[in-house]
């Protein structure tokens, strides 16, 4: 079937293509499968148009990559198309990203198998929730601008995370510890978080948080969502006041990557079956170690280095990636 004969919305291709695998060959979709697969491409959008496929296919044709359309679907209210590729390279991923205007994509060597046990480990601030908790505490403590500037530098990789965290926490010395509960009471979840966790639990996957933020916020999310584990930093508190110190080892980039490995080992899950999600420089090592690393609305440095970037969809897009295979 010619591309121009298919409906404008890709999700409607199911019926048109008789719900079978189709190869893209000389400008025509024909029944058949690729004999060898070296990569996967998933396109995602709130409404996925034929334009997204057409532009992507042009990039693949120019690179001499053969394509099989293996599925179109709707997951968590978002539309996706899943393609198997005869070749994969970082350059191919970059070229596809350059033509993506109003859709997200993942171009990777392989995807985790949703039908087998797996693990998702995510950052908390600006990933699982929409705020940076330390910035909110600082604003209520009267040092908001000072702390927010250091937060931005840390997330962009301009400051070592541990140094930046200790500097920010020192600025909170003497603040009333009751501020923590005030921030928890108005902590907004990231869109798609509840759908993602519910979907992962339905798949039998483990879900955890590794945060450079603080324990009370992570534990609140654990209780609210039924997360399997949370890891975060401990704020010093004496006589109802913040001491300006972080107690114990800091959950930094190395710690997050190690937590991923340790949790996977604890549950008998291979690293190929792990997903890491984050937005800042402190998450890059975790994203690189996971079977699938996803940057969510990330800072520029992370956009450049992350295996997959979601910029238009939110956390529900991660569930789409896992269901795409």
């Amino acid at each position: 079937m010619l591309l121009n004969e298919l409906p404008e919305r890709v999700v409607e291709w199911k019926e048109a293509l008789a719900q079978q695998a189709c190869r893209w060959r000389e400008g025509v979709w024909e029944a058949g499968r690729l004999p060898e697969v070296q990569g996967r491409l998933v396109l995602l959008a709130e409404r996925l148009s034929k334009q997204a496929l057409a532009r992507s296919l042009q990039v693949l044709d120019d690179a001499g990559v053969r394509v099989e359309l293996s599925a179109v679907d709707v997951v968590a209210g978002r539309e996706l198309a899943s393609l198997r590729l005869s070749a994969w390279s970082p350059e191919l991923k970059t070229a596809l990203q350059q033509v993506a205007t109003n859709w997200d994509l993942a171009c990777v060597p392989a995807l985790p198998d949703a039908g087998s046990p797996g693990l998702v480990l995510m950052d908390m601030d600006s990933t699982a929730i929409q705020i940076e908790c330390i910035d909110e505490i600082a604003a209520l403590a009267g040092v908001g601008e000072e702390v927010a500037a250091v937060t931005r530098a840390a997330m962009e990789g301009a400051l070592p995370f541990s140094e930046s965290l200790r500097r920010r926490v020192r600025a909170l010395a003497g603040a009333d510890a009751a501020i923590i509960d005030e921030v928890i009471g108005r902590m907004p979840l990231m869109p798609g978080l509840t759908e993602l966790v519910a979907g992962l639990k339905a798949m039998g996957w483990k879900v955890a948080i590794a945060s450079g933020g603080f324990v009370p916020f992570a534990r609140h999310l654990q209780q609210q969502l039924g997360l399997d584990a949370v890891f975060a930093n401990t704020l010093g508190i004496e006589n109802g006041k913040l001491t300006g110190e972080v107690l114990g080892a800091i959950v930094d980039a190395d710690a997050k990557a190690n937590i991923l490995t340790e949790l996977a080992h604890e549950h008998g899950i291979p690293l190929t079956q792990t997903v890491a999600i984050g937005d800042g420089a402190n998450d890059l090592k975790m994203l690189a170690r996971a079977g699938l690393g996803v940057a969510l609305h990330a800072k520029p440095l992370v956009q450049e280095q992350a295996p997959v970037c979601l910029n238009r969809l939110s956390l529900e897009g991660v569930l789409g990636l896992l269901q795409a295979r």
Side-chain angles (χ1 to χ4, degrees), residues 40-115:
R40 295 266 185 170
L41 171 62
V42 183
L43 307 179
L44 309 103
E46 189 169 346
R47 289 172 65 92
L48 189 62
S49 69
K50 184 163 62 177
Q51 179 192 57
L53 261 293
R55 290 188 178 180
S56 301
L57 288 169
Q58 185 61 59
V59 170
L60 296 167
D61 284 346
D62 291 345
V65 177
R66 290 172 293 151
V67 180
E68 173 196 323
L69 178 65
S70 58
V72 293
D73 209 344
V74 178
V75 177
R78 302 296 184 258
E79 299 176 1
L80 66 87
S82 180
L83 301 98
R84 291 149 55 96
L85 309 178
S86 65
W88 178 88
S89 69
E91 292 76 20
L92 181 64
K93 179 189 75 169
T94 300
L96 287 162
Q97 287 173 329
Q98 289 173 350
V99 302
T101 55
N102 58 354
W103 63 90
D104 283 318
L105 67 90
C107 184
V108 291
L111 288 168
D113 179 5

